[in-house]
Amino acid sequence: MDGCLLFDSSGKEYIDLIGGISVANTGHRHPDVIKAIRDQLDAYLHVMVYGEFIETPQVQYAKLLTENLPENLNSVYFTNSGAEAVEGAMKLAKRVTNRTQIIAFERSYHGSTQGALSIMGDEYWRNAFRPLLPDVLHLVYNSFESLNEITDATACVVVEPVQAEAGIIIPSKEWISALRKKCTDTGTILVFDEIQTGFGRTGKLWAFEHFNVVPDILLLGKALGGGMPLGAFIAGKKMMDRLTENPVLGHITTFGGHPVCCAAGMAAMKVLIEEKMTAAIKQKEELFRSLLVQPKIKAIRSFGLWMAIEFESFEFNKKIIDHCLDAANPLITDWFLFAPECLRISPPLTISDMQIRKACATILESID
Ligand SMILES: Cc1ncc(COP(=O)(O)O)c(C=O)c1O
């Protein structure tokens, strides 16, 4: 693997159009990330559960993150995964509000552990694992009427600023603002799940910047670790401190914030910022859109280098995905969990114009 390319065991080259599902935003194996991992390997690995020793990579990465976030998001709790960040945020919201109800949205995906699964917005995926968390309510995304369900009994609303697995569903700015207002008015914690939308995917560092709305808790994962496993929930220090009392260790994680993962993630974030990777995203998005014109494409929904190409059915989409693997210029793509008729495009942000042209030619040839 290298940049935007993957190689199979025979050495065949593939363009990676999904980047490990929005993980490899700075490309696979960026030299700075590899160096940071090597340096940290030489320094130390896991030393202690959490907080007993101050680990430089955790502290430095938390500093870099908070320097690039609004003032109220100034305390970072690193976890092993996105799902664990979701768990931590739900626990924190319950602790802070003394309420139990958690609201999420239909066709949202927040992870696969039991708490995160409870708020997943699709009964097919939840059903086999019931009973799940009680007092969870699913609302219709981007519906103003739904917001009436948020009351002073709601601990938190967990929401993706743009829905990922539903096939890139972009809400209106007005709706996101109304959601923020409703949460503020009812004392409900607003949690933005930016596990897929974060780290430049949408053309800005964080998707919430497009909406001029700041959450109370931000969830990060995927690209956060620069290719290594890492998640985080980020809140205000005063709020986060509630996890330090009654019980004293409100969330415990052995490996969360592993020094190698923090070192890798920090190097990747620095690359993203220093190489100004978000600057070219709009132009690359437009290039994709201008090339992917074909009567069998029913719709394209995109938000930055993040697209859902809609076909008539999953069966048709699957044939294209499979054909892309065997084409003359092969590429790797995928569908979406709740939108199987849509082809996923979420490549490393480093993808070149030439690679975009090649990839689109392969997709069009596969449709034919
Ligand atoms: C929006 C969103 N939230 C949460 C998660 C869960 O992250 P993880 O797989 O690291 O537990 C994912 C993973 O796909 C996701 O896309």
Side-chain angles (χ1 to χ4, degrees), residues 74-92:
N74 60 7
S75 181
V76 181
Y77 193 118
F78 287 116
T79 59
N80 291 284
S81 64
E84 192 194 351
V86 174
E87 301 290 342
M90 290 195 293
K91 286 167 68 182
L92 179 57

Side-chain angles (χ1 to χ4, degrees), residues 21 81-84 86 109-111 160 164-165 193 195-196 222:
I21 315 287
S81 64
E84 192 194 351
V86 174
Y109 181 80
H110 299 290
E160 298 164 273
E165 295 307 315
D193 179 341
I195 289 168
Q196 271 198 59
K222 293 194 182 278

Side-chain angles (χ1 to χ4, degrees), residues 15-24 201 332-334 344-348:
I15 294 178
D16 181 6
L17 264 203
I18 46 174
I21 315 287
S22 301
V23 168
R201 174 64 46 204
I332 293 166
T333 176
D334 200 0
R344 183 193 303 261
I345 296 185
S346 59

Side-chain angles (χ1 to χ4, degrees), residues 92-101 152-155 242:
L92 179 57
K94 281 167 134 180
R95 184 72 189 80
V96 168
T97 59
N98 284 320
R99 303 172 186 174
T100 54
Q101 186 189 52
D152 57 13
T154 313
R242 298 299 298 276

Side-chain angles (χ1 to χ4, degrees), residues 72-294:
N72 71 315
L73 298 171
N74 60 7
S75 181
V76 181
Y77 193 118
F78 287 116
T79 59
N80 291 284
S81 64
E84 192 194 351
V86 174
E87 301 290 342
M90 290 195 293
K91 286 167 68 182
L92 179 57
K94 281 167 134 180
R95 184 72 189 80
V96 168
T97 59
N98 284 320
R99 303 172 186 174
T100 54
Q101 186 189 52
I102 294 171
I103 288 183
F105 291 90
E106 286 171 12
R107 301 178 82 212
S108 59
Y109 181 80
H110 299 290
S112 232
T113 51
Q114 295 215 47
L117 184 64
S118 304
I119 61 168
M120 184 198 284
D122 190 301
E123 184 56 18
Y124 167 77
W125 296 91
R126 292 188 303 245
N127 192 36
F129 305 103
R130 289 196 177 281
L132 291 166
L133 271 187
D135 218 0
V136 170
L137 187 62
H138 287 96
L139 305 181
V140 176
Y141 193 73
N142 203 20
S143 149
F144 285 93
E145 210 185 313
S146 275
L147 301 182
N148 295 328
E149 303 287 336
I150 302 168
T151 68
D152 57 13
T154 313
C156 65
V157 174
V158 183
V159 62
E160 298 164 273
V162 175
Q163 274 194 319
E165 295 307 315
I168 318 294
I169 305 298
I170 305 157
S172 71
K173 275 191 179 167
E174 293 73 23
W175 184 74
I176 291 280
S177 294
L179 170 64
R180 172 67 275 182
K181 184 170 184 315
K182 187 73 187 188
C183 287
T184 304
D185 291 350
T186 55
T188 299
I189 308 278
L190 179 59
V191 183
F192 274 1
D193 179 341
E194 290 235 25
I195 289 168
Q196 271 198 59
T197 52
F199 294 95
R201 174 64 46 204
T202 67
K204 292 191 188 282
L205 194 52
W206 318 116
F208 68 71
E209 295 175 76
H210 293 279
F211 298 97
N212 292 325
V213 159
V214 175
D216 302 305
I217 303 179
L218 178 69
L219 306 178
L220 299 177
K222 293 194 182 278
L224 173 72
M228 298 291 282
L230 191 63
F233 57 104
I234 304 180
K237 173 85 170 66
K238 202 165 149 237
M239 189 187 289
M240 195 70 96
D241 277 350
R242 298 299 298 276
L243 288 181
T244 65
E245 31 135 344
N246 190 26
V248 60
L249 299 168
H251 189 73
I252 303 176
T253 182
T254 296
F255 287 122
H258 191 281
V260 176
C261 304
C262 284
M266 182 166 63
M269 186 171 174
K270 280 185 178 165
V271 165
L272 188 75
I273 295 169
E274 281 160 17
E275 294 186 11
K276 297 189 173 48
M277 283 187 187
T278 51
I281 288 187
K282 190 84 204 143
Q283 170 263 320
K284 290 180 187 181
E285 174 187 8
E286 275 161 16
L287 182 58
F288 264 112
R289 291 193 75 115
S290 69
L291 294 168
L292 289 175
V293 177
Q294 217 280 355

